[in-house]
Amino acid sequence: LCALCTLAVDAFTRIEFAAKHPADGASRNPFGGRPASLLWLCVALGLTNMAKGILFGAAMAGIPMVGYLLWNRDWKKIGFYLWFWGAAIFLLLMAAWPAAVFATLPDAAELWKYDHVGRLDGSYTELTEPWYYYLRVLPGNLAPWTLVLPFACYLTCGVAWRVRHSAERFLWCWAVLPIVVFSFSPGKHHHYLLQCTAPWAILAARALPWLHAQIQSWPDRMRNPRNSLLTLALPGEIVLAVLAKKIPGPGWLVPVLLVAWPCIAFGFSWATAQRRGTVAAAGLMATVALGFVGGHLYAANYADQCIADTIFLKQVPGEVPAGEPILVNSDTHGMDECRIQFYLGNRSRGLHNLT
């Protein structure tokens, strides 16, 4: 789904930010010709239906596009997108998968009603979250780049607000509008934010060179990496010492962290203080990569609450006679059923509406 949404956005940006906008020389006749980029946009939007439910992916990719066009209020360019043949291609591709499923499984309509309408009216209670849910989980989804996004806002929001047809305006439409629109639906999940992580990444990338330039403007004594031992390492050491007994893991873990953290802080500060941007970027990315790898290895071995369940699920097939199906209660949380069937393989059979 993310790949198709990205392809759709790519087609849209090729149209909007080309050296010469196709709308300047193209016919606005709804039945007339259009460039290949608009055709590909319609194809990509239609194909999203095969990746994630009905109209869900098209909404993810289309909301920022529509918002951007309406914000610019350029009716000539809006008319460029009102194309009968593109709409026909989109509808044909969008309907292909639901039609094939419905022809084979007529009861699928009831599933779609529950799965889609239930997200909108709140009857799909397993996904029901408060209106501010995305505001709560977005910082974690974007971490660690969340820390630089206020600077990205400072650098780009003014341009986005003042300059029509600017790339900054589209980036903020892409980053914010899907979150705003999806917040109106009671059914929410943090995975739905994945498709709009790309614009936040671009905005963070705009801020990082600016931050590096600001650091270079500091006096040499402020850029001395030894300062990090006091400003970064010491607070981290205090936190580790206070929480040592509450951190799950082997006995050697906290001592290793107490030694490693000052080294990481010093190396990070040394890299970011370098005048060459490539050295600073390499140091930053190495620190982030080390944090992600170490964090995930730790979580997988010591903080995964499903370890005991996984061991049990892997043992189940050996306890059931060969050739016999393994029945799974599908009335539990939907994500749990998927996880259970992943480990049980083709022998599993879901029992729906068991109660």
Side-chain angles (χ1 to χ4, degrees):
L1 177 61
C2 283
L4 289 170
C5 287
T6 302
L7 289 172
V9 172
D10 174 72
F12 180 78
T13 54
R14 287 177 183 272
I15 295 172
E16 288 297 314
F17 302 108
K20 180 181 179 181
H21 196 287
D24 294 337
S27 169
R28 283 186 287 169
N29 181 350
F31 297 94
R34 293 293 192 278
S37 52
L38 182 54
L39 173 63
W40 177 235
L41 171 61
C42 298
V43 170
L45 288 175
L47 288 175
T48 58
N49 236 36
M50 300 186 184
K52 181 66 176 179
I54 300 175
L55 290 177
F56 195 74
M60 284 182 171
I63 287 170
M65 301 178 195
V66 173
Y68 173 78
L69 292 171
L70 293 178
W71 191 357
N72 287 328
R73 299 187 303 279
D74 189 329
W75 307 115
K76 180 180 179 181
K77 291 183 178 180
I78 291 175
F80 170 79
Y81 290 95
L82 301 179
W83 186 34
F84 173 82
W85 302 113
I89 292 171
F90 165 74
L91 292 173
L92 181 63
L93 293 173
M94 183 197 72
W97 178 74
V101 171
F102 189 75
T104 307
L105 301 169
D107 290 341
E110 289 298 318
L111 172 64
W112 292 330
K113 179 181 177 181
Y114 171 75
D115 193 63
H116 290 72
V117 179
R119 296 169 194 262
L120 300 176
D121 64 12
S123 58
Y124 194 167
T125 56
E126 293 175 353
L127 294 181
T128 298
E129 298 288 351
W131 66 268
Y132 54 82
Y133 173 77
Y134 289 130
L135 298 178
R136 188 178 69 200
V137 300
L138 182 64
N141 273 29
L142 302 178
W145 312 112
T146 315
L147 299 174
V148 305
L149 289 175
F151 303 102
C153 182
Y154 167 75
L155 293 170
T156 61
C157 279
V159 177
W161 185 259
R162 295 189 306 270
V163 182
R164 295 176 71 197
H165 310 298
S166 62
E168 289 83 356
R169 177 171 289 191
F170 177 70
L171 282 174
W172 280 106
C173 287
W174 189 9
V176 172
L177 287 182
I179 298 173
V180 172
V181 174
F182 289 161
S183 291
F184 284 98
S185 169
K188 301 178 180 69
H189 197 282
H190 61 276
H191 291 167
Y192 301 163
L193 295 179
L194 186 59
Q195 49 79 33
C196 64
T197 300
W200 289 108
I202 297 171
L203 290 168
R206 288 287 299 273
L208 289 172
W210 181 85
L211 283 171
H212 182 244
Q214 300 305 305
I215 293 173
Q216 296 307 306
S217 68
W218 295 351
D220 289 344
R221 65 179 182 277
M222 291 183 62
R223 292 188 291 112
N224 191 321
R226 288 193 294 269
N227 295 335
S228 65
L229 298 177
L230 180 63
T231 59
L232 293 178
L234 181 59
E237 299 285 273
I238 295 174
V239 171
L240 285 171
V242 171
L243 300 178
K245 295 182 178 180
K246 297 182 180 180
I247 299 177
W252 53 262
L253 179 62
V254 172
V256 168
L257 290 176
L258 288 171
V259 174
W261 173 241
C263 299
I264 294 172
F266 184 87
F268 170 76
S269 298
W270 175 86
T272 54
Q274 301 303 303
R275 296 195 178 279
R276 290 182 60 187
T278 52
V279 176
L284 174 62
M285 294 307 298
T287 304
V288 172
L290 181 63
F292 269 107
V293 172
H296 281 286
L297 287 174
Y298 169 77
N301 289 281
Y302 306 111
D304 185 358
Q305 299 177 354
C306 300
I307 291 177
D309 289 348
T310 302
I311 294 173
F312 168 74
L313 290 172
K314 289 182 176 180
Q315 293 174 344
V316 167
E319 302 296 326
V320 179
E324 293 293 328
I326 302 173
L327 305 181
V328 178
N329 180 8
S330 298
D331 282 352
T332 59
H333 191 284
M335 297 299 177
D336 285 341
E337 180 195 351
C338 294
R339 180 172 62 90
I340 292 170
Q341 293 188 341
F342 172 80
Y343 286 106
L344 297 183
N346 295 331
R347 294 181 63 186
S348 65
R349 298 290 185 272
L351 299 178
H352 298 275
N353 301 319
L354 183 62
T355 57

